[in-house]
């Protein structure tokens, strides 16, 4: 699914607002490791492409070169109106240091 700087779905998939699947409504804007703490973080933007009010549940992961996946986390949004976006930051809880790739592994969209 999505990696840093790319939609959470295929790069060729529909843009938010074009009848996209839930995973296509998510974009990783930034992926970084704090130099002082070694903890990873990612900035994520979610845009509701549905025609109704929905909330999103995201499963995210920080992937290091020595581990396939580390620290799967859940992240939920408040309900978003059609076309509304929200940007949030997800922080890892353990220091990983070095190179980290941020991924969104699953997206669920629930009517509210």
């Amino acid at each position: 699914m999505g990696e840093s700087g790319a939609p959470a779905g295929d790069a060729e998939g529909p843009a938010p607002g074009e009848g996209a699947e839930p995973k296509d409504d998510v974009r990783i804007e930034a992926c970084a490791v704090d130099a002082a703490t070694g903890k990873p973080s990612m900035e994520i933007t979610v845009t509701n492409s549905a025609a109704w009010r929905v909330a999103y549940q995201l499963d995210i992961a920080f992937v290091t070169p020595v581990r396939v996946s580390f620290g799967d986390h859940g992240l939920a949004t408040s309900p978003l109106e059609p076309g509304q976006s929200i940007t949030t930051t997800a922080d890892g809880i353990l220091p990983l240091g070095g190179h980290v790739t941020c991924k969104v592994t699953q997206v669920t969209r629930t009517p509210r």
Side-chain angles (χ1 to χ4, degrees):
M1 291 208 159
E3 294 185 23
S4 56
D10 296 332
E12 303 297 318
E18 296 180 356
E21 293 294 318
K23 66 183 179 188
D24 298 319
D25 291 352
V26 179
R27 178 174 289 280
I28 298 172
E29 303 290 349
C31 179
V33 175
D34 184 284
T37 65
K39 293 181 182 179
S41 67
M42 70 175 91
E43 184 177 289
I44 302 167
T45 298
V46 180
T47 302
N48 179 7
S49 69
W52 53 89
R53 185 175 190 233
V54 297
Y56 289 81
Q57 174 67 41
L58 312 174
D59 292 335
I60 62 171
F62 299 102
V63 181
T64 66
V66 296
R67 293 187 180 201
V68 173
S69 180
F70 184 86
D72 292 334
H73 301 281
L75 179 69
T77 70
S78 55
L80 301 175
E81 297 296 331
Q84 184 180 8
S85 294
I86 188 170
T87 300
T88 189
T89 300
D91 297 315
I93 57 173
L94 297 174
L96 300 179
H99 178 75
V100 173
T101 301
C102 297
K103 293 188 175 190
V104 176
T105 58
Q106 184 171 337
V107 179
T108 304
R109 184 169 55 197
T110 307
R112 295 290 173 170

